[in-house]
Amino acid sequence: QVYVVFSEELKCWCRALVESVWCQADGYQLRCFLVDYAKYCSVASKNIRVLAGAFAKIPHRAKKCRLHCTKPLTLHIDYCENTAKIGPAKRWDTAAIQHFRKLLE
């Protein structure tokens, strides 16, 4: 379900999908995906509203997507044998993500 949240970074109300919720000392925080900006943000529970009927039907400008059949790789270094090999990884490393974003820009 799409909600409306106030983004402190953008200083405006945005449509968002709630990814997760966690409790903090001063209340609940929500991790949201802004469907019109393709950004993730954290929002306090006091800054979320239900989206009015007509606005819920407007298509999203951003879509979540994945690279088809592309798996993360990393450099495995064996100090004992003094070798380095590229092999599969569980997650993309930060440098690979930054490089991909630069390619997209």
Side-chain angles (χ1 to χ4, degrees), residues 20-70:
S20 61
V21 179
W22 69 94
C23 186
Q24 290 190 327
D26 59 342
Y28 289 96
Q29 284 284 93
L30 303 109
R31 178 165 166 79
C32 300
F33 177 72
L34 305 179
V35 297
D36 293 319
Y37 295 93
K39 289 185 169 199
Y40 287 93
C41 70
S42 294
V43 177
S45 60
K46 66 180 181 181
N47 291 332
I48 186 169
R49 305 287 187 271
V50 176
L51 187 61
F55 292 108
K57 296 177 183 173
I58 299 172
H60 304 158
R61 292 177 54 197
K63 300 222 183 265
K64 291 184 188 180
C65 59
R66 298 177 187 211
L67 297 174
H68 181 67
C69 294
T70 303

Side-chain angles (χ1 to χ4, degrees), residues 4-14 34 41-44 47-49:
V4 178
V5 298
F6 186 78
S7 169
E8 294 290 337
E9 179 186 347
L10 300 172
K11 303 287 186 227
C12 66
W13 290 90
C14 308
L34 305 179
C41 70
S42 294
V43 177
N47 291 332
I48 186 169
R49 305 287 187 271

Side-chain angles (χ1 to χ4, degrees), residues 65-84:
C65 59
R66 298 177 187 211
L67 297 174
H68 181 67
C69 294
T70 303
K71 306 224 181 211
L73 297 174
T74 191
L75 186 64
H76 297 283
I77 300 172
D78 187 344
Y79 292 104
C80 296
E81 295 183 19
N82 200 22
T83 60

